[in-house]
Amino acid sequence: MIKKSLSVLLMVMMLITIVGCTKDDSTSGKSSDGDSKDKVTFTYFNAASPGKDLNTNETKIGKIFEDQTGVNFKTEYLVGDINTKIGTMIASGKYPDVLVPDIAIDKILDAGAFIDLTELIEEHAPNIKKLYGPHWEQMKDKDGKINFIPFAAKQGFIKDPNITQGAFWIQRGVLKEAGYPKIKTLDEYLALIEDYQKKHPEMNGASTIGFTALTYDWRFFALSNVPNHLAGYPNDGEVIVDMKTHKTDVYADNDVTKRYFKELNELNSKGLFDKEAFVANYDEYLAKIASGRVLGFFDYGWQVQQSLDNLKVAGNDDLRYMPLPITFDGQKDQYIDPPAFINNRGVGITVSAKDPVRIIKYFDNMVKEENQKLMFWGIKDETYSVDDKGKFYQTEEQFAKTSDEKYRDESGLNTFEYYWPMGDMLYSDGNAWVPGKQPEVAQVSYTDGDKAILKAYDAEVFSDLFADPDDRPWYPTWSAVIEQGSDAQIFGQRKTDLTKEFFPKLVLAKPGDFDKVWDQYIEEFNKLDAKALEDLMDKVVKDRIKAAEAK
């Protein structure tokens, strides 16, 4: 009896030990071999954009991915302040398995919350290595670690048919009344608006606004970036990069900046500039544009898309906007981004992850071309078709389906459209990576009004009016990692504070006082260490050119 009891006790102890070890393996951050197809759910938090919390396997695409890998993600999106949410994670030391921290990424990196993905990708993710191979060195931090997978690996180049980047926008009714003139310079653009506002001081009982600007919070760049574009350069952030010498120059104190703000000052003196521009928040700005009262503004298409969509739905084509490649003197524009790899944002696997190998294998599966097409184009013959030459297109019915938010939620097109490992530009078969960049798809989406104004400007798509981008292997310099507390970072913050103080003063000053206010601004600017940022950006440009030449 004693022997029998001891035997039973020993078996019970062995079972407890086995169960205990199994529990430890699932929660300690240790990985399996990643080959199991047993169902598992990981957590995913996206701090970059709004979305609907759900299980990915509740969507059609997510269910396909679960069938392929056994993996489901319970997604959660940011509600409230990003710094508060990320700060709470860091303080507790508890993170979701997968995290997209967006602008709080530096805090996550400083906290050591991401695991190094280098060996995981090398050993378990050949498709990621192939897709991101050209950018492999750019993905590494100064210690040689890959802490996150950026969005997105570029393959080839295709112009976006519609303008999602920067442009000077003008109300279509202004162009229509003027007989659709071809305007290229800032003077022509502003004169057109001034003439129209004199004839139409009111719109639907409210005062017409000649020109407005977005200045709210971190979106202040929609005002401060403009001189750079007017001078014929793309959005390289704080600097202009000379095409011949490759030297960088902070342009906030340059003649191009002075010239633009003098133009805005003159607009204001004529009553054409929106006096609420410096106090309105983002939602108020969008509402104002959607109201149809605004005749012109500069902004990035992605930032005003909501207003543009609302105007399209409203159906009054004259109140919608046309993007124009305006420069100071009609020089070649560079509003369309050249091919670029953005390496300062991405998706990472955290130190709390239960099984990093299965997660990286899920990512590896999703970057296969057939699955990328599933993520962005959807289901063949349901959301897109293929002609006899292999070209992807959408019928009007298919376009309407993929534009319907309910369908996009149910199918997973919204869930998987960004913020995961992905490619961009062109597939190996020549089709655009995302439907919106396929000209045939863009044309299906155009209204009669779109077609009419494009015909007036002898264009098939809106980007036909814009110049092709020049090759800039360093682009964009704003994606460079700037160490917190460094001289370059301190300059950037102080410069932003200074411009937020003085740019409104420059616009709103009496014309006779403009030069005096500019001199005051320059006096304060010269106290800052602009050279610290220029030296850093010189090195960034040099290193990126060298890396491009080595490919």
Side-chain angles (χ1 to χ4, degrees):
M1 287 292 292
I2 293 173
K3 289 182 179 180
K4 186 174 183 180
S5 297
L6 287 171
S7 298
V8 171
L9 181 60
L10 182 61
M11 290 177 65
V12 170
M13 291 177 67
M14 289 176 66
L15 284 170
I16 291 172
T17 301
I18 291 169
V19 171
C21 289
T22 302
K23 184 176 181 181
D24 285 346
D25 284 347
S26 67
T27 58
S28 66
K30 295 179 181 178
S31 294
S32 69
D33 61 10
D35 292 327
S36 172
K37 290 295 179 68
D38 293 342
K39 298 292 178 67
V40 63
T41 294
F42 298 114
T43 52
Y44 166 104
F45 184 82
N46 186 337
S49 73
K52 293 186 177 181
D53 297 352
L54 49 72
N55 284 291
T56 54
N57 63 6
E58 297 168 358
T59 70
K60 184 178 291 188
I61 296 170
K63 184 64 173 67
I64 292 172
F65 287 167
E66 185 188 49
D67 291 342
Q68 293 172 348
T69 64
V71 173
N72 167 60
F73 281 94
K74 182 177 177 60
T75 66
E76 182 184 354
Y77 294 83
L78 177 68
V79 176
D81 180 67
I82 183 172
N83 291 315
T84 301
K85 180 67 175 180
I86 296 298
T88 301
M89 289 183 187
I90 293 171
S92 69
K94 296 179 180 179
Y95 304 92
D97 297 300
V98 171
L99 176 62
V100 179
D102 197 47
I103 61 172
I105 195 164
D106 288 340
K107 293 182 174 65
I108 289 295
L109 295 175
D110 289 343
F114 281 150
I115 66 171
D116 182 5
L117 302 177
T118 312
E119 289 188 11
L120 276 176
I121 295 174
E122 292 279 12
E123 295 178 18
H124 303 287
N127 296 306
I128 292 177
K129 184 65 185 290
K130 179 181 178 182
L131 181 63
Y132 284 85
H135 314 293
W136 191 247
E137 293 304 315
Q138 292 172 265
M139 293 167 65
K140 296 179 180 179
D141 67 11
K142 62 182 180 180
D143 296 323
K145 297 178 180 178
I146 296 176
N147 295 302
F148 55 88
I149 301 174
F151 326 115
K154 307 291 184 180
Q155 308 292 313
F157 177 73
I158 185 172
K159 284 172 71 172
D160 192 336
N162 300 314
I163 300 303
T164 56
Q165 293 303 312
F168 274 84
W169 302 78
I170 192 167
Q171 201 173 87
R172 294 183 183 184
V174 178
L175 297 173
K176 180 179 179 180
E177 187 166 303
Y180 299 112
K182 289 181 171 59
I183 53 176
K184 283 287 188 179
T185 72
L186 183 63
D187 287 343
E188 292 169 342
Y189 173 86
L190 296 177
L192 205 60
I193 287 174
E194 183 176 0
D195 289 345
Y196 188 87
Q197 190 178 33
K198 286 178 181 177
K199 299 175 185 175
H200 306 277
E202 290 190 354
M203 183 125 3
N204 298 325
S207 298
T208 304
I209 298 169
F211 190 84
T212 192
L214 176 59
T215 67
Y216 183 68
D217 200 30
W218 61 271
R219 301 178 191 273
F220 191 78
F221 66 83
L223 175 70
S224 60
N225 280 1
V226 183
N228 174 48
H229 290 295
L230 283 168
Y233 291 89
N235 178 18
D236 255 319
E238 306 278 4
V239 298
I240 284 174
V241 184
D242 187 278
M243 288 294 287
K244 295 180 179 178
T245 66
H246 300 150
K247 297 293 288 182
T248 65
D249 179 35
V250 172
Y251 59 87
D253 62 333
N254 284 6
D255 287 343
V256 293
T257 298
K258 182 179 182 180
R259 181 176 175 182
Y260 181 57
F261 281 94
K262 192 167 183 62
E263 291 279 7
L264 294 186
N265 177 270
E266 291 176 3
L267 271 186
N268 182 64
S269 70
K270 296 175 181 178
L272 294 169
F273 185 82
D274 179 15
K275 286 182 171 58
E276 295 177 352
F278 295 115
V279 295
N281 64 30
Y282 182 46
D283 289 337
E284 290 167 338
Y285 166 81
L286 291 178
K288 193 172 294 185
I289 290 173
S291 73
R293 296 171 56 207
V294 177
L295 301 182
F297 61 93
F298 172 93
D299 208 340
Y300 298 87
W302 58 267
Q303 197 155 235
V304 290
Q305 194 61 54
Q306 179 182 330
S307 295
L308 301 181
D309 290 343
N310 289 341
L311 285 165
K312 183 176 181 179
V313 170
N316 186 340
D317 202 70
D318 285 349
L319 298 184
R320 294 174 65 199
Y321 294 92
M322 179 75 168
L324 296 173
I326 299 299
T327 55
F328 274 130
D329 302 309
Q331 59 264 57
K332 180 181 177 182
D333 69 271
Q334 288 290 276
Y335 284 100
I336 293 179
D337 287 344
F341 181 67
I342 311 302
N343 64 341
N344 66 344
R345 295 287 188 275
V347 55
I349 301 175
T350 74
V351 293
S352 299
K354 294 183 286 294
D355 194 340
V357 170
R358 287 201 73 179
I359 294 172
I360 204 69
K361 285 200 168 188
Y362 180 92
F363 288 168
D364 193 59
N365 179 69
M366 81 186 317
V367 301
K368 294 177 180 177
E369 274 208 2
E370 61 267 28
N371 282 335
Q372 290 282 291
K373 291 174 179 176
L374 182 67
M375 287 166 60
F376 296 108
W377 284 87
I379 311 295
K380 183 182 176 183
D381 297 328
E382 181 177 325
T383 56
Y384 74 98
S385 299
V386 185
D387 67 18
D388 54 7
K389 295 181 180 178
K391 197 76 170 179
F392 290 10
Y393 67 95
Q394 287 183 325
T395 63
E396 290 184 6
E397 292 77 13
Q398 289 168 338
F399 180 81
K401 184 186 286 285
T402 57
S403 300
D404 179 72
E405 287 301 307
K406 182 180 179 183
Y407 177 83
R408 292 184 63 81
D409 285 340
E410 293 173 350
S411 65
L413 288 172
N414 274 341
T415 299
F416 292 103
E417 70 177 343
Y418 207 68
Y419 304 113
W420 302 84
M422 57 175 282
D424 193 16
M425 294 297 175
L426 293 170
Y427 291 110
S428 58
D429 59 13
N431 283 296
W433 209 278
V434 297
K437 291 184 180 178
Q438 194 95 318
E440 292 83 358
V441 173
Q443 288 165 345
V444 169
S445 73
Y446 291 158
T447 64
D448 290 341
D450 292 328
K451 294 172 184 176
I453 199 165
L454 285 168
K455 183 178 180 181
Y457 284 96
D458 194 26
E460 294 183 356
V461 295
F462 290 100
S463 60
D464 285 346
L465 278 69
F466 292 69
D468 290 342
D470 292 332
D471 182 37
R472 286 176 165 86
W474 59 82
Y475 183 85
T477 59
W478 58 256
S479 69
V481 177
I482 301 178
E483 185 177 346
Q484 290 296 305
S486 67
D487 290 343
Q489 187 270 327
I490 292 170
F491 163 76
Q493 183 57 57
R494 290 178 176 172
K495 174 248 162 190
T496 297
D497 294 341
L498 187 67
T499 55
K500 284 186 174 182
E501 176 188 354
F502 271 92
F503 283 3
K505 292 180 180 179
L506 287 166
V507 176
L508 302 177
K510 294 178 180 178
D513 292 337
F514 178 86
D515 286 337
K516 181 174 68 175
V517 177
W518 176 262
D519 290 342
Q520 292 171 351
Y521 164 64
I522 293 300
E523 182 179 354
E524 294 302 314
F525 185 91
N526 288 338
K527 296 176 184 178
L528 307 181
D529 187 7
K531 190 174 185 300
L533 182 64
E534 290 171 348
D535 287 346
L536 174 63
M537 290 304 167
D538 283 348
K539 185 177 186 306
V540 168
V541 170
K542 182 179 179 181
D543 289 347
R544 290 183 179 180
I545 291 173
K546 184 177 179 181
E549 291 173 345
K551 290 179 183 178

